[in-house]
Amino acid sequence: MAAPLTLVLILSVTIRAVLFRSSLAELISERVEVVSPLNAWKRVVEGLALLDLGVSPYSGDVFHETPLVIYLFHFVVDYAEIVFMIVDGITAVALYLAVQNYNKNVFRKQKYALEADRYPHDCLELMRSPKEMHYIPLKVAMFYLLNPFTILSCVAKSTCGLNNAVMALFILSTLKGSALLSAIFLALATYQSIYPLTLFAPGLLFLLQRLYIPVNPCRSRFWFFTVQYSVMFIGSLLVIVCLSFFLLGSWDFIPSVYGFILSVPDLTPNIGLFWYFFAEMFEHFRFFFICVFQINVFFYTIPLSVKLKEHPVFLIFMQIAIISIFKSYPTVGDIALYMAFLPVWSHLYRFLRNIFLVSCVLLACTALFPVLWHLWIYAGSANSNFYYAITLLFNVGQILLVSDYFYAYLRREHHLSQGLYLRRKDGSEATLVLK
Amino acid sequence: MVLLFVCFCLFVCFSLLVLLELSLMLALLTKATQFFSSGHTNNWAVLVCTSRFWFNYRHVANVLSVYRSVKRLGIPDSHIVLMLADDMACNHRNPKPATVFSHKNMELNVYGDDVEVDYRGYEVTVENFLRVLTGRLPPSTPRSKRLLSDDRSNILIYLTGHGGNGFLKFQDSEEISNVELADAFEQMWQKRRYNELLFIIDTCQGASMYERFYSPNIMALASSQVGEDSLSHQPDLAIGVHLMDRYTFYLLEFLEDIHPASQANMNDLFKVCPKSQCVSTPGHRTDLFLRDPGSVLITDFFGSVRKVEITREAINLTNPTELSLRNELKSEALFYVDQLPVADIIHQKPKQKDWHPPDGFILGLWSLILLVFFKTYGIKHLKHIF
């Protein structure tokens, strides 16, 4: 499988290189859907220039990247395009390997369950065969690399690609079972933007599952491993934060990065939900609604991990989707990461109910974003409500997509335990109703 | 006996005369030293009225009365920059055209016959005022509109109009802030455009305008403190408007008693218009001024007293050709005394020092990465590398 992957990599690098050289690069790097105040390349360059002039890059509310990004780009700022292409390649390869590993595990578990005869007999059509699963890793890599969202994000040189790479490496190290690496990459991802903190629960659940530790609060083994993992995570996070203190010698990256993400002072329009709401907000209620919106991101972890504790990889997918919908400054690069996972759940296609609607909504909104932006900002014949309507619709479409996959996954699990064709007690056909 | 008495009387008278003459000479000497102690050689005045419209008649009358005093005490028109934002003398609402009165019942016409207004009407703007002060005028500006002062000039600046806490309103549409004014004075100091500066302001909350000064050799007076309004003096029922503001009215009365040789000093000026007469509390600021205000004469600022030194001894003038030869012989390079720290004032672009991450950071980061690498993959893999 290495050859097709290399082919896909070469193709994606070609596309990106062509776009870098064309005049579209500047156009794309200014689009608000692709770059946000957190990850715009312009701001990185500005921060590095401020640093060369001897001023802290965090002065003046321009630069909101972490010090490790400063360190990385200080040396490679001239080769930024190659760096971002390499980063996209790393993400794709990490996802490829992770999904390959996951598929192997899934198939192995299915084999054991079939041998133990745990599935009802009419579920045979729901079984997955190696033939269909063979090309899934390649499809995942292709979905990530050739996704127009990723290409746009890479051409705009948005550091969202870096975030995606760290999260992909986290997924890879979790699926390989290495607790230390997974904690370190999770700490790095949380350090970059706070929201991957919610990936702590699925990572923990996966590692527990892999070590065959049942998720039971009464058992000491559970707490032992949880404490180990959380100590590793918190320890590496603290080490990284202290190390970044030593880079510039001051703590003012904390309010600039984390204060900025959490308190959302910049209300530039983007594809998220925060900007319009807080543009209208009275000062009196602002703090309350900031808390509400931020808790909203973190809150879904609890019920989802309770429901999906046997299926941590799906939980990872759901969490990444929820982060990229509800985070304070989302961009299309965040969406590309969870969309790359969709081939993994291609066997759920028969249970998806809204896929046509969702894909139409997403396509239409993607097309309408630049149109309504132009109408609002340049032509002056629309206003922010138009753009916000499309943003709302886009997010509703994403939420519908995610919840559709959730429904399909749970339904398949239900069928695997209860049988595909449901019968009532008297033998007549029953239908499944979602109450 | 009588002769002795007469001789004694003569001697006493003579000694008295000598003593008197000596004391007179001593007084003259101290006066002479005092005379030469202020260090200025020319006087300028910048008099600005910032309000327009007929009901602000009193602001124009304020400025014209100070103009009158200043001219009377010797400053010529070429050294006065007079800025009037509106024309009251020829205003169509003026029942007595070509006059501007300062006392009711038309006692004193401050407009006179030879008023020379340099900036009139809409030319009185914040930008023009600041350009006059700092000297940054376009090359086409005539001399009468320029403040051509040097480092030996004493400048009197008088502002009047409507003001507030920290600003002065110009022309009903813009304002100058106390910070801008302080910075303009600092520019003047750095460009050596004044020796000493007397700043008088007659507006509401006038003391706020001199709060921000930070350049040396500035003395400031204001008609009211922050939070107080400066009030107008008296209306004239024939003309129909208030003619003067209180502070400038009493200032004018004070200045009418000053003549070019008067020895009145700044402490008398501070006493002009106490609270009983002015209702507002006049304020002054002398902390930036190097000399003691008691030794500063009124005529140092309001008059233009030429320094003339009378000597009775003959001076030998050398032959001009010898002089030039001597100059050529000792032709050393002439340079200005290093008063101006140019490197501080003209901010050169700082050298682009590249920032490098500290070594401790790099060391820490890479050692951590190596640690994690070896922890994950074990030491035994090392033998595959080496």
Side-chain angles (χ1 to χ4, degrees):
Chain A
M1 289 294 285
L5 181 64
T6 324
L7 207 66
V8 167
L9 274 169
I10 292 174
L11 179 65
S12 68
V13 164
T14 317
I15 296 178
R16 283 166 174 73
V18 162
L19 278 174
F20 270 130
R21 289 281 161 262
S22 75
S23 63
L24 286 174
E26 285 148 38
L27 202 71
I28 291 171
S29 58
E30 288 166 11
R31 301 274 349 151
V32 286
E33 297 95 7
V34 184
V35 297
S36 75
L38 273 179
N39 50 29
W41 176 246
K42 200 171 59 157
R43 289 175 181 250
V44 172
V45 169
E46 180 90 21
L48 290 174
L50 281 174
L51 203 54
D52 276 336
L53 287 173
V55 171
S56 157
Y58 297 109
S59 55
D61 194 38
V62 159
F63 185 72
H64 298 288
E65 302 280 355
T66 54
L68 280 182
V69 166
I70 297 180
Y71 176 65
L72 173 69
F73 281 114
H74 177 69
F75 295 107
V76 300
V77 70
D78 299 323
Y79 309 108
E81 298 161 0
I82 299 178
V83 167
F84 280 106
M85 285 198 273
I86 291 175
V87 156
D88 267 354
I90 289 175
T91 316
V93 167
L95 284 175
Y96 177 90
L97 293 171
V99 170
Q100 210 175 40
N101 201 331
Y102 174 64
N103 279 349
K104 277 203 200 112
N105 280 344
V106 159
F107 187 67
R108 199 161 44 95
K109 276 206 200 112
Q110 189 181 264
K111 200 167 75 159
Y112 292 156
L114 272 174
E115 280 169 11
D117 203 22
R118 268 197 270 137
Y119 293 139
H121 294 282
D122 50 3
C123 288
L124 288 172
E125 49 192 80
L126 291 177
M127 293 298 120
R128 305 175 68 184
S129 64
K131 208 164 74 133
E132 75 172 78
M133 298 209 301
H134 183 63
Y135 283 106
I136 287 181
L138 183 64
K139 278 195 213 162
V140 165
M142 209 165 65
F143 259 55
Y144 185 75
L145 282 172
L146 300 178
N147 193 348
F149 291 154
T150 329
I151 296 179
L152 281 176
S153 180
C154 181
V155 170
K157 290 193 275 215
S158 147
T159 56
C160 185
L162 277 177
N163 290 1
N164 287 356
V166 174
M167 278 206 274
L169 285 170
F170 159 71
I171 295 171
L172 176 64
S173 52
T174 315
L175 286 174
K176 290 275 186 192
S178 155
L180 177 67
L181 271 184
S182 137
I184 289 175
F185 280 120
L186 185 64
L188 262 178
T190 312
Y191 164 77
Q192 276 285 100
S193 63
I194 308 176
Y195 300 107
L197 182 62
T198 55
L199 290 172
F200 180 80
L204 180 65
L205 284 170
F206 185 86
L207 289 166
L208 284 172
Q209 199 185 57
R210 197 187 157 87
L211 292 172
Y212 302 112
I213 303 173
V215 182
N216 194 346
C218 307
R219 291 185 162 249
S220 67
R221 275 183 79 192
F222 166 70
W223 284 115
F224 189 61
F225 186 77
T226 314
V227 163
Q228 253 186 335
Y229 190 64
S230 47
V231 159
M232 278 194 283
F233 169 64
I234 293 174
S236 38
L237 188 63
L238 277 172
V239 162
I240 294 172
V241 165
C242 291
L243 204 62
S244 18
F245 167 72
F246 285 117
L247 185 74
L248 289 171
S250 70
W251 290 109
D252 55 351
F253 73 95
I254 290 184
S256 274
V257 179
Y258 304 121
F260 186 81
I261 294 176
L262 287 175
S263 67
V264 193
D266 187 318
L267 296 176
T268 324
N270 48 47
I271 59 173
L273 302 160
F274 279 64
W275 61 276
Y276 188 80
F277 207 75
F278 286 100
E280 313 264 327
M281 182 66 60
F282 289 118
E283 277 304 313
H284 187 65
F285 299 106
R286 195 189 156 90
F287 181 63
F288 171 67
F289 277 102
I290 289 269
C291 293
V292 165
F293 273 60
Q294 300 286 4
I295 290 174
N296 187 37
V297 183
F298 292 100
F299 191 74
Y300 294 106
T301 320
I302 304 169
L304 278 176
S305 20
V306 166
K307 184 71 188 171
L308 290 172
K309 45 176 201 252
E310 316 289 324
H311 316 286
V313 181
F314 192 73
L315 181 60
I316 291 181
F317 165 71
M318 291 285 291
Q319 279 298 113
I320 296 179
I322 284 170
I323 291 173
S324 54
I325 297 171
F326 292 113
K327 70 191 286 195
S328 44
Y329 294 101
T331 60
V332 292
D334 301 310
I335 297 171
L337 185 62
Y338 79 81
M339 279 201 178
F341 273 97
L342 293 181
V344 183
W345 323 116
S346 55
H347 59 280
L348 299 174
Y349 180 72
R350 60 184 292 174
F351 297 118
L352 290 172
R353 293 183 303 171
N354 303 325
I355 197 65
F356 177 65
L357 179 71
V358 163
S359 44
C360 285
V361 163
L362 289 178
L363 275 173
C365 289
T366 318
L368 277 175
F369 269 123
V371 169
L372 285 169
W373 180 259
H374 178 86
L375 271 183
W376 173 24
I377 301 286
Y378 296 106
S381 54
N383 55 36
S384 58
N385 297 320
F386 289 66
Y387 195 75
Y388 186 60
I390 295 299
T391 305
L392 266 181
L393 201 60
F394 188 68
N395 285 316
V396 162
Q398 282 183 338
I399 294 171
L400 214 58
L401 173 74
V402 166
S403 55
D404 213 15
Y405 267 95
F406 189 46
Y407 164 79
Y409 193 84
L410 287 179
R411 182 155 169 189
R412 181 172 175 272
E413 294 302 312
H414 177 87
H415 282 312
L416 282 179
S417 59
Q418 308 288 343
L420 189 55
Y421 298 106
L422 307 166
R423 300 254 173 262
R424 284 206 208 118
K425 288 203 179 67
D426 54 1
S428 58
E429 198 175 324
T431 43
L432 197 62
V433 171
L434 192 67
K435 271 228 177 107
Chain B
M1 202 59 161
V2 175
L3 214 68
L4 264 169
F5 183 65
V6 165
C7 285
F8 180 66
C9 286
L10 273 168
F11 177 68
V12 165
C13 294
F14 187 66
S15 57
L16 274 172
L17 257 156
V18 165
L19 273 169
L20 207 68
E21 205 180 309
L22 271 175
S23 64
L24 209 71
M25 270 182 65
L26 204 67
L28 273 173
L29 208 65
T30 50
K31 275 216 193 99
T33 47
Q34 215 179 35
F35 198 63
F36 287 102
S37 68
S38 81
H40 71 280
T41 58
N42 55 76
N43 284 82
W44 286 79
V46 179
L47 312 173
V48 184
C49 160
T50 60
S51 357
R52 53 174 35 244
F53 306 128
W54 173 244
F55 48 82
N56 291 321
Y57 183 100
R58 59 191 188 283
H59 296 143
V60 173
N62 286 348
V63 173
L64 285 174
S65 59
V66 175
Y67 173 76
R68 169 204 158 75
S69 312
V70 146
K71 251 179 95 158
R72 191 175 53 80
L73 291 172
I75 304 186
D77 273 315
S78 57
H79 282 225
I80 303 179
V81 178
L82 179 62
M83 302 170 81
L84 297 180
D86 203 357
D87 185 6
M88 298 307 169
C90 298
N91 194 307
H92 52 269
R93 286 169 77 166
N94 191 348
K96 305 268 177 267
T99 58
V100 174
F101 292 110
S102 62
H103 285 60
K104 70 176 182 195
N105 301 327
M106 295 169 276
E107 285 169 18
L108 181 59
N109 174 20
V110 289
Y111 198 64
D113 293 333
D114 56 351
V115 170
E116 198 177 288
V117 182
D118 301 304
Y119 286 82
R120 62 195 69 206
Y122 285 113
E123 289 170 355
V124 179
T125 59
V126 173
E127 184 190 340
N128 281 350
F129 175 59
L130 289 176
R131 281 186 185 280
V132 161
L133 286 183
T134 55
R136 292 155 72 159
L137 289 157
S140 57
T141 319
R143 283 179 74 91
S144 61
K145 283 185 159 170
R146 287 179 187 260
L147 177 67
L148 296 165
S149 55
D150 52 31
D151 65 320
R152 290 273 143 250
S153 312
N154 275 11
I155 308 185
L156 164 73
I157 298 185
Y158 178 83
L159 298 176
T160 185
H162 288 287
N165 189 355
F167 66 93
L168 170 64
K169 186 177 75 159
F170 266 68
Q171 295 273 16
D172 216 39
S173 61
E174 53 180 2
E175 55 200 37
I176 185 172
S177 67
N178 48 4
V179 177
E180 283 176 337
L181 198 57
D183 287 341
F185 286 163
E186 177 64 11
Q187 269 196 53
M188 287 174 77
W189 172 251
Q190 289 188 1
K191 289 162 74 166
R192 297 292 185 264
R193 280 171 69 78
Y194 68 90
N195 174 42
E196 285 165 351
L197 204 133
L198 178 65
F199 174 78
I200 306 184
I201 184 162
D202 187 354
T203 62
C204 303
Q205 307 193 53
S208 65
M209 289 305 283
Y210 61 65
E211 270 172 4
R212 297 296 200 112
F213 291 164
Y214 55 97
S215 318
N217 280 349
I218 301 184
M219 194 186 313
L221 284 107
S223 60
S224 55
Q225 300 294 330
V226 174
E228 288 179 346
D229 288 338
S230 287
L231 302 174
S232 53
H233 187 57
Q234 25 161 265
D236 182 301
L237 296 171
I239 297 179
V241 283
H242 286 264
L243 295 182
M244 281 273 269
D245 281 327
R246 283 177 189 250
Y247 182 76
T248 316
F249 183 80
Y250 291 108
L251 181 70
L252 178 64
E253 270 190 13
F254 171 77
L255 287 174
E256 289 288 297
D257 291 332
I258 306 288
H259 55 89
S262 88
Q263 298 296 306
N265 56 37
M266 282 296 159
N267 283 334
D268 304 323
L269 191 61
F270 296 153
K271 295 201 202 94
V272 161
C273 203
K275 198 170 160 78
S276 53
Q277 285 175 326
C278 248
V279 184
S280 58
T281 319
H284 55 91
R285 182 179 175 178
T286 52
D287 57 314
L288 295 166
F289 205 75
L290 290 175
R291 292 192 288 154
D292 172 41
S295 66
V296 179
L297 300 175
I298 300 284
T299 49
D300 277 351
F301 288 102
F302 284 89
S304 176
V305 185
R306 292 275 182 265
K307 300 243 188 301
V308 175
E309 187 182 329
I310 302 175
T311 174
R312 291 193 204 278
E313 30 185 70
I315 300 175
N316 271 338
L317 294 172
T318 53
N319 211 352
T321 49
E322 280 176 24
L323 202 65
S324 61
L325 267 176
R326 222 177 295 163
N327 273 345
E328 272 168 15
L329 278 174
K330 56 167 176 117
S331 60
E332 53 187 51
L334 297 173
F335 56 92
Y336 281 108
V337 174
D338 193 17
Q339 298 167 323
L340 224 50
V342 173
D344 284 347
I345 295 170
I346 302 175
H347 292 289
Q348 277 131 3
K349 235 168 75 122
K351 269 192 306 203
Q352 293 278 27
K353 282 184 301 200
D354 274 338
W355 172 81
H356 285 290
D359 298 326
F361 173 82
I362 302 178
L363 198 70
L365 186 69
W366 286 103
S367 61
L368 275 172
I369 292 176
L370 280 173
L371 238 148
V372 168
F373 179 76
F374 287 129
K375 169 78 176 63
T376 328
Y377 292 107
I379 305 287
K380 63 180 188 297
H381 287 264
L382 270 181
K383 68 175 191 308
H384 293 287
I385 305 172
F386 292 110

